[in-house]
Amino acid sequence: MVKKCYYALMVMLMALVSVGFAACGNDDSDLEIALIVGTWQYDNPEMFDDAILLFQFTKDRKFHQVAKYIGAEGTPDYFAFHGTYTVKGYKLIVTIDPTPLFNDESETIEFSYSVEGDKLELLSNGETITLKRVNASAIEPYL
């Protein structure tokens, strides 16, 4: 009888430990995603001729990018990309959906990233892009 109770106790303890580890893993993933969820702006007139690039990462792992710029006729214009993302440790993996004008197939880009306060740094192919957190209203009209 004592052996059966001991065995049952060990099985229950193992089950509790397994649930604890699974919960910790989920919390870490949620925490990693929470760091980048939001709307971010990259503003570099030298590189993009007065264009403003906006990026949005949502809680449900959707990705949006909008480039606002002055069109050929001098009027404001924009283009947008959409897709999904995942976070694995310090890696941000963005999959961009196909778009008729730019790409016929989905494209996946992997970044190393870091978040410090309201700054998100993305590193890919030796180039670093620094984004600043902005209000979601900056991108919402274009989605």
Side-chain angles (χ1 to χ4, degrees), residues 63-103:
F63 165 78
H64 307 285
Q65 177 186 349
V66 171
K68 299 181 345 181
Y69 61 97
I70 302 300
E73 294 82 35
T75 58
D77 206 351
Y78 76 97
F79 63 86
F81 295 103
H82 307 282
T84 58
Y85 73 94
T86 58
V87 177
K88 295 181 182 178
Y90 293 101
K91 297 287 182 192
L92 170 64
I93 302 155
V94 176
T95 301
I96 301 170
D97 296 338
T99 59
L101 294 176
F102 296 102
N103 53 337

Side-chain angles (χ1 to χ4, degrees), residues 8 37 41 44 96 112 138:
V37 165
Q41 179 176 323
N44 186 343
I96 301 170
S112 296

Side-chain angles (χ1 to χ4, degrees), residues 22-34:
C24 288
N26 289 341
D27 290 345
D28 289 345
S29 179
D30 290 345
L31 178 60
E32 291 167 349
I33 289 171

Side-chain angles (χ1 to χ4, degrees), residues 80-141:
F81 295 103
H82 307 282
T84 58
Y85 73 94
T86 58
V87 177
K88 295 181 182 178
Y90 293 101
K91 297 287 182 192
L92 170 64
I93 302 155
V94 176
T95 301
I96 301 170
D97 296 338
T99 59
L101 294 176
F102 296 102
N103 53 337
D104 294 334
E105 299 178 5
S106 63
E107 181 179 347
T108 300
I109 305 168
E110 185 174 308
F111 299 94
S112 296
Y113 80 95
S114 66
V115 177
E116 190 172 316
D118 284 344
K119 292 195 183 220
L120 168 63
E121 284 193 347
L122 302 176
L123 174 65
S124 181
N125 298 325
E127 292 189 34
T128 301
I129 298 172
T130 302
L131 308 172
K132 67 179 179 178
R133 189 181 297 272
V134 295
N135 192 304
S137 63
I139 198 170
E140 287 173 355

Side-chain angles (χ1 to χ4, degrees), residues 8-77:
L9 180 62
M10 289 305 288
V11 169
M12 287 178 19
L13 185 59
M14 291 300 286
L16 287 172
V17 169
S18 296
V19 169
F21 281 127
C24 288
N26 289 341
D27 290 345
D28 289 345
S29 179
D30 290 345
L31 178 60
E32 291 167 349
I33 289 171
L35 288 174
I36 65 165
V37 165
T39 304
W40 304 86
Q41 179 176 323
Y42 178 69
D43 189 3
N44 186 343
E46 294 173 12
M47 187 173 196
F48 292 106
D49 297 331
D50 296 325
I52 297 174
L53 296 178
L54 297 165
F55 301 84
Q56 186 177 67
F57 301 95
T58 66
K59 289 180 187 176
D60 59 350
R61 296 185 172 124
K62 301 245 189 274
F63 165 78
H64 307 285
Q65 177 186 349
V66 171
K68 299 181 345 181
Y69 61 97
I70 302 300
E73 294 82 35
T75 58
D77 206 351

